[in-house]
Amino acid sequence: MNLSSAIHRKIFHIVSISAQKIKQDSYVIGGYVRDYLLGKIKFKDLDILTIGEGIRLAKEVSKYITPDPKIRIFKRFGTAMLEYENQKIEFVGSRKESYHFYSRKPIIEFGSLKDDQNRRDFTINALAISLNRNNYGELIDPFGGLLDLKQKILRTPLDANITYSDDPLRMMRAIRFATQLKFVIEKYSFQSIKKNKNRINIVSSERIIDEFNKILLSEKPSLGLFLLYKSGLLSIILPELVLLKGIKEKNGYKHKDNFYHTLQVVDNISKEKNNSLWLRWVALLHDIGKTHTKKFLPKIGWSFHAHELVGSNMIPNIFQRLKLPKGSYMRYVKKIIQHSYRPITLIGNHTKDSAIRRLLFDIGDDLEDLMKLCIADITTNNIEKKNKYKKNIYLLMERIRKLEERDRIQNWKSPISGNDIMNTFHINPCKKIGIIKDFVKDSILEGKISNDFHSAYFLMLKKGEELGLKKK
Ligand code: ATP
Ligand code: MG
């Protein structure tokens, strides 16, 4: 099969000429070829395989590009990378690999094209297009990758058991590609993942999470989350989720399966393409506190009282264990989960404005994401119920919007600060400052005074006086 059409851009000609000059046969390989054949013609990273030294080819290619591109050289791996027209181009010398049992870092030797294709993870990723003069554009497909692409199958070039055991990250990659491409992992291959699941422990958390995040960012993350569960990998990576599985029944009362419910919530959140990775993490972890709060109450049924607080308190440890970022993203996930149940408690006409103001004060900028979670959380199959729940949330959102308009309460900061209090009364930091601040805040939230500096200032003077302070 000739695929010259895939390599008609200038960069391919430059690589081809450079490769001929240094007499190293070269190929485009991996993701670019796969995605081109899938009809996803986009500018994406290019992987160039050369029979010889990758760094040498990168240097030769750079001579043909103006202005001089910066080459990043990874000597230890014998690879080099340069950027051309916003596209990353990676140059790799062909290799043969063998592995130690305790490491996923291979012992690398020089190898032929076939050796290099053998060490690739999947047949669809081993497809190569020749950049050489004698067969320019020819697809080199030693393992039937093209057929696997057509049949939507993920298959390893060599024995799956060995492929996954050698580099267990490939198990995560298999599930990630299956999710992104909506492919099926071939049966024996999937059995091998099950068999080798514990070998994931030799892979760093960063690499595991890299793949996990790609699954979460895909169109339908539940596909991958379910495969992670089925393979046994999820129990190792995120046991908190697996513990949500199962339905209990007592005296005719049943609760839903919170694992499958969670998968559905994640899918719902992911329907909006631009929903962030961290909102997806919120959806994924929003119910993890249910395992520890599940109780049966006679005549009432199953209760998960305070699961959102218990769950949010579990977040820092999970983030630390998985080497997820510690700072503002962790706080965002924790905070939304902590308040995830509050909107539900505010539904209905009887709710006081002050209760809504309190939520606005606590959630601040993340109100919109919290409401998105509430809507995604509606997973009942009963259409009537579903519509009713959704309508309730929309009504609440409308009420919040009106209240905000009136009060300017979102992003609420007290109109007076601790510094204002200290300066007014000429006092040093002490308990009284907190008491005055809280009093002013509560008065605004309760609607006793309006949310402006003047009203807050006079209230501060009054409360200060009560506490024996004098304006200086
Ligand atoms: P994408 O960039 O869309 O995620 P890709 O296939 O380009 O997909 P990369 O991680 O960029 O994936 O890797 C490039 C190529 O290198 C792959 O197509 C595959 O041939 C090979 N490869 C990457 N990681 C591994 C691995 N762990 N084991 C074997 N081959 C791998
Ligand atoms: Mg790539």
Side-chain angles (χ1 to χ4, degrees):
M1 184 175 186
N2 192 287
L3 279 179
S4 310
S5 56
I7 51 170
H8 70 270
R9 287 203 329 269
K10 193 169 158 199
I11 183 63
F12 296 104
H13 291 285
I14 295 177
V15 176
S16 176
I17 289 165
S18 310
Q20 278 169 42
K21 200 147 167 230
I22 59 170
K23 300 200 168 59
Q24 287 188 181
D25 279 357
S26 298
Y27 306 83
V28 192
I29 196 161
Y32 178 84
V33 183
R34 177 195 72 223
D35 287 355
Y36 179 84
L37 288 165
L38 285 172
K40 300 183 193 170
I41 315 169
K42 54 179 185 199
F43 278 76
K44 71 168 274 155
D45 301 348
L46 273 185
D47 293 294
I48 305 292
L49 173 68
T50 182
I51 314 304
E53 276 181 50
I55 297 169
R56 192 164 161 230
L57 179 60
K59 284 183 178 164
E60 189 62 31
V61 165
S62 73
K63 290 181 192 163
Y64 291 85
I65 298 176
T66 44
D68 245 2
K70 237 205 211 128
I71 307 181
R72 289 181 59 192
I73 292 177
F74 307 92
K75 242 194 177 138
R76 216 152 51 93
F77 303 102
T79 65
M81 204 265 289
L82 59 81
E83 275 192 44
Y84 177 78
E85 293 181 343
N86 289 328
Q87 202 177 9
K88 288 195 179 101
I89 304 167
E90 185 141 1
F91 297 87
V92 191
S94 56
R95 309 183 283 198
K96 197 168 158 176
E97 284 173 356
S98 56
Y99 288 81
H100 283 306
F101 186 74
Y102 293 106
S103 163
R104 55 175 293 264
K105 304 220 165 51
I107 306 152
I108 296 170
E109 292 167 52
F110 174 77
S112 63
L113 167 65
K114 183 75 191 292
D115 289 331
D116 199 281
Q117 285 175 305
N118 274 333
R119 71 170 189 89
R120 302 265 156 183
D121 47 7
F122 305 106
T123 60
I124 61 167
N125 286 346
L127 292 162
I129 303 175
S130 164
L131 294 171
N132 310 312
R133 191 185 289 171
N134 60 334
N135 57 351
Y136 194 81
E138 190 186 318
L139 180 71
I140 298 152
D141 175 17
F143 310 109
L146 191 59
L147 189 65
D148 285 344
L149 263 188
K150 283 197 179 123
Q151 298 185 340
K152 297 178 180 277
I153 292 173
L154 281 157
R155 190 194 308 276
T156 56
L158 303 181
D159 186 315
N161 202 25
I162 297 167
T163 304
Y164 292 126
S165 172
D166 276 351
D167 178 0
L169 180 69
R170 292 168 180 160
M171 302 190 285
M172 291 298 296
R173 284 174 62 87
I175 293 175
R176 186 256 287 192
F177 283 119
T179 314
Q180 285 180 328
L181 304 173
K182 302 204 170 93
F183 275 32
V184 173
I185 300 171
E186 174 264 323
K187 209 166 148 197
Y188 174 70
S189 201
F190 196 71
Q191 280 169 2
S192 303
I193 294 180
K194 279 186 177 166
K195 198 161 147 188
N196 285 288
K197 65 176 185 201
N198 286 318
R199 291 204 37 82
I200 199 69
N201 290 317
I202 67 162
V203 182
S204 74
S205 294
E206 287 87 348
R207 298 306 302 271
I208 295 174
I209 282 301
D210 240 21
E211 297 298 330
F212 193 91
N213 283 343
K214 286 181 182 171
I215 293 172
L216 266 188
L217 281 171
S218 68
E219 211 181 320
K220 198 171 177 203
S222 66
L223 296 174
L225 293 168
F226 184 70
L227 290 174
L228 285 172
Y229 161 69
K230 271 298 229 200
S231 63
L233 284 167
L234 196 60
S235 290
I236 302 172
I237 302 167
L238 206 50
E240 293 85 350
L241 269 190
V242 181
L243 289 174
L244 290 175
K245 208 168 165 298
I247 299 174
K248 278 225 169 137
E249 188 164 4
K250 199 169 174 178
N251 303 348
Y253 292 103
K254 230 161 84 167
H255 67 74
K256 62 179 173 244
D257 184 307
N258 285 303
F259 175 71
Y260 289 112
H261 163 71
T262 295
L263 297 200
Q264 218 177 324
V265 178
V266 176
D267 278 354
N268 286 347
I269 274 282
S270 308
K271 277 181 190 144
E272 242 180 84
K273 259 194 186 151
N274 53 3
N275 276 346
S276 76
L277 174 64
W278 302 108
L279 184 54
R280 293 169 193 227
W281 270 101
V282 168
L284 186 72
L285 301 179
H286 81 286
D287 267 350
I288 48 168
K290 284 194 170 168
T291 312
H292 312 281
T293 52
K294 181 152 87 179
K295 253 201 198 114
F296 183 76
L297 306 174
K299 293 193 185 139
I300 294 177
W302 293 97
S303 130
F304 301 93
H305 182 65
H307 72 270
E308 67 283 4
L309 298 181
V310 172
S312 72
N313 284 332
M314 291 163 74
I315 302 300
N317 277 339
I318 292 178
F319 267 55
Q320 192 172 22
R321 189 184 76 222
L322 297 176
K323 304 258 163 55
L324 285 161
K326 283 192 199 111
S328 57
Y329 294 127
M330 191 278 282
R331 286 196 297 273
Y332 163 89
V333 173
K334 184 173 186 304
K335 181 170 135 193
I336 299 191
I337 293 177
Q338 182 187 335
H339 298 301
S340 58
Y341 204 64
R342 281 178 69 185
I344 308 298
T345 64
L346 299 178
I347 281 166
N349 294 329
H350 59 281
T351 308
K352 285 192 187 148
D353 283 351
S354 58
I356 294 181
R357 287 194 196 101
R358 275 182 202 283
L359 174 65
L360 295 182
F361 175 73
D362 290 338
I363 200 73
D365 274 345
D366 300 320
L367 175 73
E368 199 180 318
D369 289 356
L370 172 68
M371 298 319 271
K372 281 183 181 172
L373 174 68
C374 287
I375 291 174
D377 204 7
I378 302 169
T379 59
T380 170
N381 287 326
N382 180 327
I383 300 281
E384 246 171 69
K385 269 193 187 167
K386 191 185 225 160
N387 289 339
K388 190 177 111 195
Y389 295 163
K390 277 194 180 166
K391 194 173 151 209
N392 284 340
I393 300 279
Y394 289 132
L395 285 174
L396 177 66
M397 282 161 81
E398 182 56 19
R399 194 166 158 200
I400 290 176
R401 197 189 57 75
K402 284 188 179 147
L403 197 71
E404 267 176 358
E405 224 171 62
R406 219 170 62 213
D407 288 6
R408 293 168 286 121
I409 204 98
Q410 207 190 359
N411 291 324
W412 196 82
K413 273 198 199 86
S414 175
I416 55 151
S417 65
N419 270 337
D420 293 332
I421 301 173
M422 287 194 280
N423 291 337
T424 309
F425 298 114
H426 273 263
I427 50 172
N428 290 324
C430 64
K431 240 177 149 180
K432 288 180 179 171
I433 297 165
I435 296 174
I436 297 174
K437 266 186 81 174
D438 282 350
F439 184 72
V440 172
K441 176 188 132 186
D442 284 341
S443 301
I444 294 174
L445 292 176
E446 301 291 339
K448 290 180 182 151
I449 63 166
S450 62
N451 182 24
D452 63 60
F453 181 76
H454 267 285
S455 315
Y457 186 80
F458 284 111
L459 194 69
M460 166 189 77
L461 288 181
K462 197 171 144 230
K463 188 70 188 171
E465 237 167 67
E466 260 178 59
L467 295 170
L469 300 173
K470 280 214 167 69
K471 181 174 178 286
K472 294 266 158 69

